[in-house]
Amino acid sequence: MKKLALTDEILLNIEKPARYIGNEVNMVVKDPEKVDIRTVFCFPDVYEIGMSHLGMQILSHMFNQRDDVYCERVFSPWPDLHRIMKEQNIPLFSLETQDPIRDFDWLLITIQYEMCYPNILQILDLSQIPLKSGDRTNADPIVIGGGPCTCNPEPIADFFDLIYIGEGETVYDELLDLYKAHRGSVQFQRAAFLREASHIPGIYVPSLYEVSYREDGRIASFEPKYEDVPRSVVRQVVEDLSASVYPDRPIVPFIKVTQDRVVLEIQRGCIRGCRFCQAGMIYRPLRERSLDYLKEKAYQMLNATGQEEISLSSLSSSDYTYLEELMDFLLSEFQSKHVNISLPSLRIDNFSLDIMSRVQDVKKSSLTFAPEAGSQRLRNVINKGLTEEDILHGAGLAFDGGWQKVKLYFMLGQPTETAEDMRAIGELAEKIAERYYEVPKEKRNGKCQINVSTSFFVPKPFTPFQWSPMCTKEDFLGRARIVNETIKSQTNRRSIRYSWHEADVTIIEGILARGDRRIADALIRVYEKGGIFSAWSDFFDDAIWQEAFAETGVDVDFHTTRERAEDEIFPWDFIDAGVTKGFLWKEWQRALAGEVTPNCRQQCAGCGALKYGGGVCRES
């Protein structure tokens, strides 16, 4: 048994000590003395969340396929252990070897959600690594960021030595080789490595750029400091998913995690073009994995883990070309072995309901619709590509098939939204309830249950809505009140339940999503005030954030309620993400006019993703 970084006394006095001891089934074991580069991959949240993240599994597997690299794992210590580590000066450690993070060559942090930013500082602080890259020495690990939030890395740019823009399967090998060459020199020089690393496509080194601002606070210029540093960083995309790396022996945690199942990514990207959706834009073009590839991976992962569920992962599973063939295979091969099959992100149509009736207990499960807007007018504005007829038809098919539970997801505060659009949410829920009671009483499975949930709109980078203003907290809550009152006035109100997201959290998310480098000091103050795990409702404290903004001069309204002009320089404009700013502006104008843009398989909209060498853009 390896030596643990925490004593038995500590482990016996903290919640879920299995989060910190490693040794799980399929954990990769290497001799640290026999590798050239030691890396540690971090998900800045609790173990149960991080171990559910597919991207971390893919990249860790890819790194560990190299004989000269050992990639280990680390997650955010829960507040009980955080306090002990600070009090006893225990440095943060990896799960595999239990060695201090500060002794590694690289610390890679995946950035999935803006509200996790204070936990990035927690990781650095507990690792005893200086928070800002400019304060680090040659002896400190290279701190690397990646993930969807790097679409706008500027609020956290000061904390990273370099940031990987795009999908990680593409140029990490080149970066590892470059580091190995520098590390093998007489004396490693951090600055020289970072300078040369900036020449690799997709690698952004924040310290090599400088930003100037106008008197009104907008960005005046964003320029590289040296001629050899690229002005634009090109987002990396895997062009052939069936030829890319994928884990075949996922780690099996000792404790139950959020997604306690095998995950099979069937495709990446989306054809739909919803104008609020960042993932649908930045992961263009749609790329599918081959049917044979998925069959092989399903066998490998289930055999290696003994898991009892496999989930098909994608932004829109119904758009996968070979879904019917894949489902037939999974059902015939694994259902008799009591392996459950999960299919998120399905459109509710005849085929989907037939499949779901074969893999679910309809008396226990619920179906999910995401209309996003109550009225057809607003669905056209956001380019949802879903009509009321589609929704009612799908609900009718479900009710006729034995379902009686429906979840409906909407978003409040989207551009051009009116009170009529808000009331339409409750009215649509009522129409769905009415459709249920059209089913003969003897064929119903009890009382209809419709759960309506609304989130609040945040304009995200690289979406057509990136120019849009946000609502204030009070306005968000006022809109939720209108929806609530409308639902309470419906005939079938007892069948409809309504919940809404926290408005104050949404405002913070909006600031972090579109903010610039001036946000960094506020994030440090949030961390110093104890603001870790802000993504968790139980730990979020809006007062901490407001104090930090006030103390560091962050203007909340400047980053949220202000509408952007067409020619404004955004903090993320230095990134070439495939989709062009011109296309996004055209879609913004089409949104304001209520015009619908066809999906990518119906008609090319000229978004710019054709520059990549694969995917739906290249299909004949």
Side-chain angles (χ1 to χ4, degrees), residues 358-378:
R358 295 162 66 187
V359 302
Q360 294 181 0
D361 181 344
V362 298
K363 293 183 180 180
K364 296 180 180 178
S365 62
S366 63
L367 294 178
T368 299
F369 295 83
E372 305 295 354
S375 70
Q376 191 59 50
R377 185 201 72 80
L378 192 53

Side-chain angles (χ1 to χ4, degrees), residues 3-44:
K3 180 181 178 181
L4 297 177
L6 302 176
T7 65
D8 290 347
E9 182 182 4
I10 293 174
L11 290 170
L12 289 170
N13 284 281
I14 57 175
E15 185 178 342
K16 298 183 181 180
R19 291 167 171 162
Y20 311 106
I21 62 176
N23 273 333
E24 307 102 317
V25 174
N26 294 334
M27 186 189 85
V28 176
V29 178
K30 293 187 179 183
D31 184 347
E33 300 298 323
K34 295 182 179 180
V35 298
D36 298 312
I37 306 174
R38 296 191 66 186
T39 68
V40 58
F41 209 120
C42 170
F43 193 103

Side-chain angles (χ1 to χ4, degrees), residues 560-588:
T560 54
T561 59
R562 178 178 64 88
E563 185 169 358
R564 276 65 168 168
E566 178 182 3
D567 61 351
E568 177 161 345
I569 298 174
F570 292 134
W572 53 91
D573 274 350
F574 70 93
I575 299 173
D576 177 354
V579 290
T580 66
K581 196 172 184 179
F583 163 76
L584 295 173
W585 177 259
K586 182 177 72 173
E587 281 294 290
W588 174 230

Side-chain angles (χ1 to χ4, degrees), residues 122-396:
Q122 176 206 30
I123 295 294
L124 294 171
D125 182 36
L126 292 181
S127 299
Q128 300 173 5
I129 299 170
L131 298 184
K132 290 194 173 183
S133 61
D135 297 327
R136 295 174 195 144
T137 69
N138 291 334
D140 291 308
I142 301 293
V143 181
I144 303 173
C149 286
T150 61
C151 286
N152 177 24
E154 291 306 279
I156 49 175
D158 285 353
F159 310 133
F160 289 92
D161 296 301
L162 63 83
I163 293 173
Y164 187 113
I165 307 293
E167 298 170 0
E169 298 98 323
T170 57
V171 299
Y172 260 127
D173 278 328
E174 187 176 347
L175 189 65
L176 285 163
D177 290 341
L178 177 66
Y179 180 82
K180 186 175 177 180
H182 275 259
R183 199 64 170 161
S185 63
V186 177
Q187 183 178 6
F188 174 72
Q189 293 295 321
R190 185 185 206 89
F193 164 71
L194 294 175
R195 179 83 167 263
E196 195 168 346
S198 73
H199 302 162
I200 298 175
I203 301 301
Y204 170 49
V205 181
S207 62
L208 300 181
Y209 296 79
E210 53 189 1
V211 191
S212 63
Y213 300 92
R214 301 177 185 272
E215 288 186 7
D216 62 5
R218 293 179 298 152
I219 293 176
S221 67
F222 187 99
E223 301 288 340
K225 294 180 179 178
Y226 309 101
E227 289 186 1
D228 65 314
V229 176
R231 300 183 63 84
S232 178
V233 179
V234 179
R235 188 176 189 277
Q236 296 301 290
V237 166
V238 179
E239 296 178 350
D240 183 357
L241 284 179
S242 295
S244 67
V245 67
Y246 200 83
D248 48 18
R249 298 180 59 84
I251 295 174
V252 183
F254 287 136
I255 60 176
K256 185 174 179 59
V257 297
T258 306
Q259 302 293 332
D260 199 8
R261 60 188 70 128
V262 161
V263 179
L264 192 62
E265 183 188 39
I266 60 176
Q267 62 186 12
R268 198 172 292 177
C270 184
I271 62 172
R272 296 291 154 183
C274 297
R275 292 173 176 136
F276 60 84
C277 181
Q278 186 181 67
M281 294 292 167
I282 65 171
Y283 289 110
R284 290 188 174 203
L286 175 78
R287 292 144 290 149
E288 298 180 325
R289 296 187 191 272
S290 73
L291 183 59
D292 288 341
Y293 182 97
L294 294 173
K295 289 179 179 180
E296 180 184 8
K297 289 299 176 183
Y299 263 125
Q300 290 175 341
M301 292 190 293
L302 287 170
N303 289 339
T305 61
Q307 290 280 20
E308 297 178 341
E309 183 171 344
I310 184 168
S311 176
L312 306 187
S313 171
S314 78
L315 292 174
S316 179
S317 298
S318 296
D319 292 322
Y320 179 62
T321 302
Y322 308 105
L323 183 60
E324 184 171 2
E325 294 92 330
L326 178 60
M327 286 305 307
D328 287 342
F329 167 78
L330 294 174
L331 289 167
S332 64
E333 293 294 324
F334 300 115
Q335 197 168 40
S336 63
K337 299 174 183 176
H338 307 292
V339 173
N340 296 322
I341 302 167
S342 173
L343 293 96
S345 306
L346 279 177
R347 290 197 306 277
I348 307 303
D349 53 22
N350 286 308
F351 167 70
S352 299
L353 289 168
D354 174 62
I355 290 295
M356 283 185 279
S357 67
R358 295 162 66 187
V359 302
Q360 294 181 0
D361 181 344
V362 298
K363 293 183 180 180
K364 296 180 180 178
S365 62
S366 63
L367 294 178
T368 299
F369 295 83
E372 305 295 354
S375 70
Q376 191 59 50
R377 185 201 72 80
L378 192 53
R379 282 194 294 275
N380 290 346
V381 168
I382 66 177
N383 207 49
K384 182 61 185 176
L386 191 66
T387 66
E388 184 173 293
E389 182 181 358
D390 295 332
I391 298 167
L392 295 178
H393 177 68

